[in-house]
Amino acid sequence: MYRCTSKFYWHGFLTFPPISTTPEEDTSPEVGIQAPRDTVKCSDPATPALLSQQKIINNRASHTTSVPSADPAMGQSSSSTVSHTKGGDLASSFDKFFKDFKVESKIISQETIESIRSRLKEGDLPSAVSAISDALREIDNAPLSIAVTGESGTGKSTFINALRCMGAEEDGAAPTGPIETTFERTPYKHPKFPNVTLWDLPGIGTTNFQPHDYLEKMKFREYDFFIIISATRFKINDAQLAVAIKKMKKNFYFVRTKVDSDLYNQKRSQPNKFNEHEILQRIRNDCVTRLQKANVSNAQVFLVSSFDLACYDFQNLETTLLRELPAHKRHIFMQNLPNITEVTIDQKRDSLKQKVWLEALKAGALATVPFMGYISDNDVETLKDALTLYRVYFGLDDASLKIMANDLHVSVEKLMANLKCPHLLSIEKDDESLGEKLLRYVEIFCSVSGGPIAAALYYSKIYSLQNYFLETVVSDAKVLLKKEEIFKDSEDPGQTYLPQDVRNENGESEAVSA
Ligand code: GDP
């Protein structure tokens, strides 16, 4: 039973069984997900091996959620001994939490992790909080500028639009198809993340500049990295440009577009001999050999179709970029990416999870408010903001759902009926208040994640609710990966699919389809 007043009361939270953390029992997953190294075949975008690997990762991930640790002395943090104990607890939680993520998934550098951890360990909580605030500010304000260069017609604009989750016909999309070649660079901001700018640069071959002058003219210092695009073989110009970029200490990546069309043509001309893997390998080898001849050693070429980023090498490109970006820019890069596969969605989730955790740690480390066990109106506002943000990050905000419903020729209501996140904060039962519903989520989250969330941390309830919301949005995003399948016959009343991994009160999966 829950006690309810004008605030939303909750209790019983401290009695959940603890998370098992002994080394023998610890089944902590590698939460950061290693993208498959092999090219993903388009004809088989979700290979059984990939799916089962993903299932294992998801299963394991859903059973471990590292959280800010319990503070046995909440409410007395003025004593230095208490600060020390609390700091020590937080330091070990902090350590454990970040150990679970692969290097390329971490959104703060190892140096920053070390610095925060040592401040926590020393019990210097104000200084730890200030370091966490600095790290969060750096992540939130990180700009990301991506230069995309290549000859006209190679597919630059289409690639840029795909990265911005935009169709060629949408307002603000980079114009595609035969258009006049411009000699100026053109910026395209991401519609939802204004800190992200993709720059369309004229191909070096269309200007008469030498690579060094070209880079100066294009203001190379402003970009985080370059993507050099070709729809056929890379030219000597492209190779020379790459060498010059390297000299300027910037990273570059070769992207070979339109591989879908190469495969299609091959299949039409030689249907009996058609072997997708061999053709892709041939294209890749050809590109690499030509670049080597032009003095670009160890060139890595990513084969891509901008019409289907889930296929071929885009996932590898994504992981490579993540690994090579500075840690504080990984979050903005991940959020910018469209939800192309479950792997990408999980990577986005991991990135957000770290942010949610840092926010909770920041709020909880200095909190001296006694553990009250209720959800205030302010908390509800915080949760509303968090949910809105997660929905935007995963393209499930109202505006995006409207566009999606339109594309699928279904009503927004029907689309929403297949999702959980739009209903998380609405009151559906007459005999249950929003506060009670939220408390139910906390219990579900705790039973799934395996224990109390930072029992005495005042902000722990917000933390567990934010995580519950995040997992629900992630689950919905995965459901929508199959949207064409779900709504293939829009005249049909359609099945209602509930997102996977959302548990009911008994911790049982509600992943059922009506
Ligand atoms: P840009 O001049 O380099 O910006 O090239 P565009 O993006 O305008 O693309 C030129 C043409 O190639 C357009 O008709 C696009 O639809 C098409 N295109 C671009 N990328 C791909 C791709 O990955 N696959 C296929 N099949 N066509 C593409």
Side-chain angles (χ1 to χ4, degrees):
M1 284 295 293
Y2 299 109
R3 220 153 30 99
C4 284
T5 65
S6 60
K7 308 262 185 188
F8 308 116
Y9 269 90
W10 70 317
H11 63 89
F13 189 33
L14 298 176
T15 60
F16 283 94
I19 302 171
S20 125
T21 49
T22 57
E24 302 79 39
E25 291 172 74
D26 191 357
T27 52
S28 299
E30 300 261 0
V31 175
I33 288 154
Q34 180 74 56
R37 303 301 308 161
D38 294 335
T39 298
V40 180
K41 284 188 183 179
C42 195
S43 51
D44 188 13
T47 59
L50 221 163
L51 282 177
S52 62
Q53 182 192 356
Q54 194 53 49
K55 234 181 193 168
I56 293 164
I57 292 166
N58 287 345
N59 262 342
R60 294 170 75 199
S62 72
H63 288 294
T64 52
T65 305
S66 301
V67 292
S69 74
D71 169 18
M74 196 53 156
Q76 304 165 44
S77 61
S78 53
S79 131
S80 72
T81 325
V82 168
S83 283
H84 225 94
T85 316
K86 177 174 177 173
D89 287 346
L90 291 174
S92 66
S93 287
F94 189 79
D95 244 5
K96 179 162 166 35
F97 181 80
F98 278 100
K99 241 183 229 147
D100 281 345
F101 294 92
K102 284 191 184 301
V103 174
E104 67 265 24
S105 301
K106 287 184 184 163
I107 64 170
I108 54 175
S109 65
Q110 199 49 41
E111 202 185 348
T112 309
I113 292 175
E114 283 303 319
S115 152
I116 296 172
R117 196 188 62 88
S118 71
R119 290 172 206 214
L120 288 171
K121 204 164 175 196
E122 284 159 17
D124 188 353
L125 299 182
S127 157
V129 166
S130 142
I132 295 170
S133 301
D134 289 348
L136 283 167
R137 206 173 311 116
E138 200 182 24
I139 292 165
D140 285 336
N141 297 333
L144 187 68
S145 277
I146 304 172
V148 183
T149 178
E151 306 305 314
S152 178
T154 52
K156 277 178 303 163
S157 312
T158 311
F159 185 72
I160 287 172
N161 289 336
L163 285 185
R164 295 164 76 217
C165 318
M166 284 185 125
E169 292 174 335
E170 277 180 52
D171 284 347
T176 59
I179 44 161
E180 236 174 80
T181 305
T182 118
F183 297 106
E184 299 298 324
R185 58 182 193 148
T186 314
Y188 293 100
K189 282 208 176 295
H190 193 286
K192 287 187 196 154
F193 305 104
N195 276 7
V196 179
T197 312
L198 288 125
W199 291 87
D200 186 343
L201 270 48
I204 183 166
T206 53
T207 67
N208 282 324
F209 294 117
Q210 289 301 307
H212 179 273
D213 297 336
Y214 172 88
L215 287 176
E216 285 290 350
K217 180 106 179 113
M218 294 299 142
K219 303 192 179 359
F220 76 92
R221 288 178 193 83
E222 293 180 11
Y223 312 119
D224 290 286
F225 56 84
F226 287 76
I227 289 184
I228 305 173
I229 284 195
S230 173
T232 52
R233 293 165 165 174
F234 287 94
K235 308 226 166 61
I236 186 91
N237 281 331
D238 298 318
Q240 286 169 344
L241 179 62
V243 171
I245 293 171
K246 200 169 177 188
K247 269 197 196 138
M248 307 289 192
K249 305 217 176 328
K250 293 274 175 183
N251 286 340
F252 61 86
Y253 306 90
F254 287 108
V255 168
R256 165 63 161 82
T257 53
K258 305 193 190 181
V259 290
D260 55 321
S261 133
D262 291 279
L263 289 169
Y264 176 78
N265 293 340
Q266 278 290 331
K267 196 167 190 172
R268 282 201 80 179
S269 65
Q270 300 187 325
N272 297 327
K273 281 197 192 161
F274 180 77
N275 179 323
E276 180 173 320
H277 180 74
E278 261 177 29
I279 296 162
L280 291 172
Q281 201 53 40
R282 216 180 310 136
I283 298 175
R284 192 192 315 281
N285 290 346
D286 183 52
C287 289
V288 170
T289 314
R290 287 185 146 253
L291 287 166
Q292 271 166 354
K293 277 189 190 150
N295 289 333
V296 183
S297 51
N298 303 325
Q300 211 182 342
V301 176
F302 298 92
L303 310 186
V304 162
S305 161
S306 299
F307 293 151
D308 208 342
L309 294 183
C311 297
Y312 318 113
D313 288 344
F314 187 80
Q315 193 85 68
N316 286 350
L317 173 63
E318 182 190 307
T319 310
T320 307
L321 290 173
L322 272 178
R323 203 170 33 237
E324 295 180 4
L325 270 174
H328 68 283
K329 297 211 179 200
R330 287 184 188 137
H331 180 68
I332 185 76
F333 176 70
M334 273 325 296
Q335 303 323 316
N336 149 72
L337 285 181
N339 301 337
I340 47 168
T341 58
E342 292 205 354
V343 175
T344 304
I345 292 172
D346 285 336
Q347 279 175 326
K348 286 169 85 160
R349 186 230 10 230
D350 286 349
S351 159
L352 254 181
K353 224 171 177 170
Q354 293 171 66
K355 239 187 127 226
V356 171
W357 200 86
L358 286 170
E359 305 268 12
L361 188 57
K362 183 181 139 192
L366 285 184
T368 52
V369 185
F371 180 65
M372 298 295 284
Y374 62 78
I375 295 172
S376 70
D377 294 344
N378 270 350
D379 292 341
V380 172
E381 283 309 307
T382 305
L383 289 165
K384 263 187 197 160
D385 290 347
L387 180 58
T388 305
L389 195 73
Y390 306 159
R391 287 181 62 191
V392 169
Y393 277 166
F394 287 90
L396 296 173
D397 51 295
D398 289 343
S400 301
L401 290 180
K402 212 168 152 190
I403 294 173
M404 207 182 288
N406 201 30
D407 289 348
L408 292 164
H409 306 292
V410 296
S411 67
V412 179
E413 292 71 31
K414 185 170 174 180
L415 184 61
M416 285 208 187
N418 284 274
L419 305 175
K420 282 218 155 192
C421 68
H423 317 291
L424 279 171
L425 286 170
S426 51
I427 301 167
E428 283 142 17
K429 297 181 194 165
D430 286 344
D431 58 347
E432 188 182 52
S433 68
L434 180 58
E436 286 169 327
K437 185 174 170 178
L438 290 172
L439 296 178
R440 198 156 50 80
Y441 293 157
V442 174
E443 283 191 10
I444 296 168
F445 179 77
C446 288
S447 66
V448 173
S449 68
I453 308 306
L457 273 185
Y458 176 68
Y459 285 85
S460 62
K461 61 182 183 290
I462 301 292
Y463 173 77
S464 52
L465 283 166
Q466 285 175 332
N467 270 284
Y468 182 79
F469 287 5
L470 177 57
E471 293 296 344
T472 306
V473 173
V474 162
S475 203
D476 282 350
K478 289 181 182 177
V479 166
L480 288 182
L481 278 183
K482 303 183 197 111
K483 58 184 184 293
E484 270 84 18
E485 201 182 300
I486 298 172
F487 298 108
K488 64 176 177 281
D489 182 3
S490 56
E491 296 305 309
D492 188 273
Q495 287 183 300
T496 298
Y497 289 74
L498 290 180
Q500 304 127 19
D501 294 330
V502 174
R503 308 282 159 149
N504 65 20
E505 290 84 343
N506 304 319
E508 291 160 351
S509 173
E510 288 185 349
V512 290
S513 47

